[in-house]
Amino acid sequence: TSLVISQMQSRGTAGGNDEFIEIYNGTAASITFDASWTLTVRNATGGLGACVATPSVLYTGANQVIASHKHLLLTASAYSESVPGDATFGAGIPDAASLVLLHAAATVDALCFSYDATTTGTLTGCTIAYTCEGTPATNPHDNTASATSNADNSLERKPGGAGGNGTDANDNATDFSTATPADPHNLAAAAVP
């Protein structure tokens, strides 16, 4: 019924800042991504003893118009994919975190992702609860600089690609799968499906 986080890459072939976030408009009307829209991130890599209490604002909307069944692509400083971003964000995305899309300070969508039992435990067990939808998705990136972790992978909302990104069962582990290679879409890309 609104915008959703459709794809996220927390690192890529160019390292830890090779990041992007893709937002999908699955509605029948255009939506203006103005300053009432924000994306926040809350780190979950530190374990239960180091729970981060407050999320950081990654990006605030800048009046981009997302047409029906199209995407907005936000990128970080070392973004290396061939599809150009529509805007940039400054802060980084940890490899385990809660990424939240808000409209007028109300949660519209959330993507929690982890890479091992410790980071899953952080997302599900902190005394100040993380904003998540069901079970965290498994991030293919594991907070290391290895070739495997710095691969060209992302978490993409199903069905993905030409099928669009409309699956929303309110469970991140069910709604997202690993896209290899990553498949970002920007405002200029064709509408899907």
Side-chain angles (χ1 to χ4, degrees):
T1 60
S2 185
L3 302 177
V4 293
I5 299 164
S6 53
Q7 194 171 179
M8 182 282 310
Q9 180 175 279
S10 62
R11 68 175 61 235
T13 56
N17 289 321
D18 186 3
E19 306 167 317
F20 70 83
I21 302 164
E22 181 190 87
I23 307 296
Y24 178 64
N25 177 5
T27 73
S30 294
I31 295 176
T32 300
F33 200 72
D34 60 19
S36 66
W37 291 91
T38 56
L39 273 164
T40 65
V41 66
R42 186 172 163 206
N43 192 334
T45 60
L48 284 176
C51 289
V52 174
T54 306
S56 301
V57 174
L58 275 177
Y59 186 77
T60 300
N63 295 316
Q64 298 96 335
V65 177
I66 310 171
S68 174
H69 296 279
K70 295 191 86 173
H71 300 84
L72 171 68
L73 183 61
L74 308 172
T75 60
S77 61
Y79 173 75
S80 67
E81 299 289 336
S82 61
V83 176
D86 298 306
T88 58
F89 57 88
I93 305 171
D95 288 346
S98 169
L99 183 62
V100 180
L101 176 64
L102 301 111
H103 185 227
T107 299
V108 173
D109 192 33
L111 168 58
C112 285
F113 48 93
S114 58
Y115 54 84
D116 62 11
T118 299
T119 55
T120 300
T122 302
L123 288 167
T124 59
C126 277
T127 55
I128 301 172
Y130 281 78
T131 302
C132 297
E133 291 187 358
T135 305
T138 301
N139 193 356
H141 307 290
D142 64 5
N143 209 35
T144 68
S146 70
T148 302
S149 186
N150 285 351
D152 186 16
N153 301 323
S154 65
L155 286 174
E156 183 177 22
R157 185 177 293 273
K158 297 174 184 175
N165 304 107
T167 300
D168 194 4
N170 293 319
D171 183 70
N172 295 148
T174 301
D175 293 343
F176 285 82
S177 62
T178 299
T180 305
D183 184 26
H185 299 80
N186 61 14
L187 289 170
V192 290

